[in-house]
Amino acid sequence: MTTMRFDDLRQYSDVLRSRHGQAVTVRFVEPRDAEALQNYFRALSARSRYNRFLGAASELPPSELDRFIHVGEADRFSVVATTPVDGREIIVGEARYAFDSQTAAIELGLSIDDHWQGHGIGKALLKNLECRAAAFGAERIFGDTLRSNDAMIALARKSGYGFTNTPGDWKLTRFQKDIQNHVRIEPQEIPCASWRLAAVSPRAMSSPAV
């Protein structure tokens, strides 16, 4: 497990590329993002919201939105994927992940804006999450999704995840991958800021986190 500095979240931002080469920034959610994040969820199609929340919902409840925008509480983290459109930063995807120190596992959930699906953003975001998880010492990453969520299942399969039953819920399936063997020790080979910072200066961080 490594540590993180919460006084400068920008150092953990990464620039990914869509299938067509468009820059997509992945960064931690901040309190200033509350309205934009809620609008993002409201704008998702009913099916996409159902898949993301594993049930019917029109928006994030206020208590859940508050948890989304406060990074690091209870070892839970939220990121948004953004891209510039007409000079404005637009949220095109999001993800939330949590670390369980007893099992050394990261649990995740993510969504991509309906209009931006098919651009390779989901695959790039998932790979970035694997990198962030490895930087924090996780050995395994997994998520649960509805058995009817063909898009998430296809994404996980293409990304090398295996599948198993979700304990206690027959409507869900679990996708998972072992990541402890994917750690790279050379900073110049590390594909995300969290991993690079952990490799270069693991003692420079101050606040304990996932």
Side-chain angles (χ1 to χ4, degrees):
M1 180 182 297
T2 188
T3 53
M4 295 176 60
R5 288 180 53 187
F6 292 99
D7 58 332
D8 184 11
L9 294 177
R10 291 173 297 178
Q11 65 181 321
Y12 302 103
S13 299
D14 300 303
V15 178
L16 315 180
R17 294 288 171 181
S18 72
R19 181 172 292 123
H20 305 294
Q22 185 165 358
V24 178
T25 299
V26 177
R27 62 172 178 79
F28 281 125
V29 174
E30 300 180 47
R32 65 182 175 87
D33 296 312
E35 182 178 1
L37 187 62
Q38 186 67 284
N39 288 337
Y40 166 84
F41 284 118
R42 289 169 178 161
L44 291 176
S45 66
R47 181 175 182 178
S48 289
R49 284 197 304 271
Y50 191 90
N51 285 336
R52 180 63 175 93
F53 300 130
L54 307 181
S58 59
E59 64 178 21
L60 281 175
S63 59
E64 187 64 18
L65 177 61
D66 187 67
R67 285 190 282 269
F68 257 76
I69 62 176
H70 289 93
V71 170
E73 293 185 356
D75 285 345
R76 296 178 181 273
F77 298 81
S78 304
V79 296
V80 287
T82 70
T83 195
V85 175
D86 296 330
R88 296 175 54 235
E89 181 189 45
I90 302 297
I91 298 176
V92 297
E94 58 76 34
R96 186 152 169 80
Y97 56 101
F99 182 71
D100 185 332
S101 59
Q102 293 185 336
T103 62
I106 289 278
E107 181 177 5
L108 68 90
L110 64 86
S111 68
I112 303 297
D113 182 278
D114 291 80
H115 299 292
W116 289 86
Q117 292 177 16
H119 291 255
I121 296 174
K123 184 177 181 180
L125 178 58
L126 186 56
K127 188 66 176 178
N128 185 258
L129 294 175
E130 293 173 14
C131 175
R132 289 170 182 257
F136 300 145
E139 298 177 356
R140 183 172 64 96
I141 187 168
F142 74 93
D144 294 311
T145 191
L146 293 165
R147 292 183 181 274
S148 58
N149 189 352
D150 295 334
M152 187 68 237
I153 291 173
L155 171 61
R157 182 173 289 116
K158 290 178 182 177
S159 300
Y161 285 72
F163 293 84
T164 187
N165 294 328
T166 296
D169 196 330
W170 62 270
K171 295 181 298 183
L172 304 179
T173 186
R174 175 164 294 180
F175 54 95
Q176 58 187 6
K177 178 192 283 189
D178 292 332
I179 59 174
Q180 70 269 29
N181 295 325
H182 295 270
V183 176
R184 298 174 179 175
I185 60 174
E186 294 297 332
Q188 64 268 25
E189 296 181 354
I190 295 172
C192 72
S194 297
W195 209 344
R196 183 173 61 253
L197 289 168
V200 175
S201 55
R203 297 181 182 179
M205 316 289 186
S206 59
S207 300
V210 53

